[in-house]
């Protein structure tokens, strides 16, 4: 894959842009990778009730590694016209330094100001990791406490401590792959 495959003039295009319910949806989901979308695509197609009763308009997947390596703040990040005015924008991916850096780049450099972590899914990921064998991996990037705080500020105190302990002190991560399709249901 060429480093410029997703860049056209001054616009960065996600690896996957998928409409779900453009007409009445009120939520845009950003996934770290398209594999998360493919994991839950059946429940979206069958209109099953998803966590937090989200009415999903569409899904964007930037491909975290490629996005971090190629995006610069002079570019616009492509968001479909029908979803540009949505106020509910959530990000979900691995609980690791790469995923958090992707979230921060989308929020700060791509200027997607109202983007927030999908708290319920991150909490489910953390909770499931405590009972799932081999659920921890190694981080690929370093992250400062300041950057981590920008992500964890959305969580309650107990989850903030768990995330900081995991990523900074243990230098470990949790992959979204430990979640089953059922974990995404209400």
């Amino acid at each position: 894959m060429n480093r410029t495959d997703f860049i056209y003039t001054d616009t960065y295009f996600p690896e996957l842009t998928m409409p779900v319910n453009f007409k009445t949806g009120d939520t845009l989901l950003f996934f770290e990778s398209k594999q998360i979308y493919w994991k839950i695509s059946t429940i979206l197609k069958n209109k099953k009730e998803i966590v937090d009763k989200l009415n999903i308009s569409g899904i964007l997947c930037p491909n975290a590694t490629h996005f971090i390596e190629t995006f610069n703040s002079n570019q616009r990040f492509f968001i479909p016209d029908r979803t540009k005015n949505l106020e509910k924008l959530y990000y979900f991916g691995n609980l690791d330094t790469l995923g958090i850096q992707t979230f921060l780049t989308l929020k700060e450099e791509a200027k997607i100001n109202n983007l927030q972590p999908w708290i319920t899914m991150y909490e489910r990921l953390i909770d499931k990791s405590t009972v799932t064998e081999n659920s921890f991996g190694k981080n690929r990037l370093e992250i400062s406490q300041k950057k981590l705080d920008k992500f964890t500020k959305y969580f309650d105190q107990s989850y903030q401590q768990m995330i900081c302990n995991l990523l900074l002190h243990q230098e470990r991560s949790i992959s979204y792959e430990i979640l089953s399709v059922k974990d995404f249901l209400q």
Side-chain angles (χ1 to χ4, degrees):
M1 182 180 312
N2 186 332
R3 289 180 155 283
T4 60
D5 285 350
F6 300 111
I7 302 168
Y8 180 73
T9 63
D10 62 349
T11 304
Y12 182 96
F13 288 87
E15 184 177 44
L16 178 78
T17 304
M18 189 63 64
V20 176
N21 186 7
F22 268 166
K23 290 184 180 178
T24 62
D26 64 0
T27 304
L28 188 59
L29 291 178
F30 291 75
F31 288 145
E32 179 179 329
S33 75
K34 63 185 176 185
Q35 285 74 19
I36 303 171
Y37 168 74
W38 295 121
K39 183 174 212 157
I40 66 168
S41 63
T42 304
I43 61 177
L44 294 173
K45 288 176 190 168
N46 294 332
K47 308 268 190 246
K48 300 244 178 166
E49 201 160 276
I50 201 151
V51 171
D52 297 327
K53 297 183 180 183
L54 297 181
N55 185 5
I56 300 168
S57 175
I59 293 175
L60 300 176
C61 304
N63 180 336
T65 304
H66 186 269
F67 179 66
I68 294 298
E69 291 175 351
T70 60
F71 186 80
N72 76 61
S73 57
N74 295 327
Q75 298 166 336
R76 290 187 310 257
F77 185 84
F78 172 79
I79 297 178
D81 288 339
R82 288 186 177 221
T83 60
K84 282 187 179 175
N85 295 324
L86 296 178
E87 292 186 23
K88 294 181 187 175
L89 305 176
Y90 296 109
Y91 175 85
F92 181 70
N94 291 328
L95 186 56
D96 63 6
T97 52
L98 177 64
I100 292 171
Q101 186 59 51
T102 302
F103 167 78
L104 293 174
T105 301
L106 286 165
K107 186 164 183 72
E108 296 172 351
E109 293 183 45
K111 297 174 183 65
I112 304 172
N113 298 325
N114 49 346
L115 184 64
Q116 298 180 42
W118 193 3
I119 300 296
T120 304
M121 288 311 302
Y122 279 109
E123 288 176 353
R124 287 184 179 188
L125 182 64
I126 292 167
D127 294 344
K128 192 164 187 177
S129 74
T130 62
V131 295
T132 304
E133 286 188 41
N134 302 320
S135 57
F136 298 103
K138 189 86 171 135
N139 283 307
R140 293 186 260 173
L141 300 173
E142 288 187 21
I143 194 165
S144 69
Q145 181 71 55
K146 184 178 177 180
K147 283 187 175 186
L148 190 56
D149 290 345
K150 289 180 180 182
F151 178 78
T152 60
K153 72 180 182 181
Y154 297 94
F155 295 84
D156 70 34
Q157 189 71 31
S158 64
Y159 281 100
Q160 285 179 16
Q161 290 174 343
M162 285 188 263
I163 294 168
C164 285
N165 185 45
L166 178 73
L167 296 178
L168 285 179
H169 305 296
Q170 296 178 17
E171 297 181 358
R172 301 187 89 189
S173 64
I174 308 171
S175 172
Y176 66 81
E177 293 176 3
I178 68 169
L179 296 174
S180 70
V181 173
K182 290 179 185 176
D183 292 319
F184 287 87
L185 295 172
Q186 187 60 30

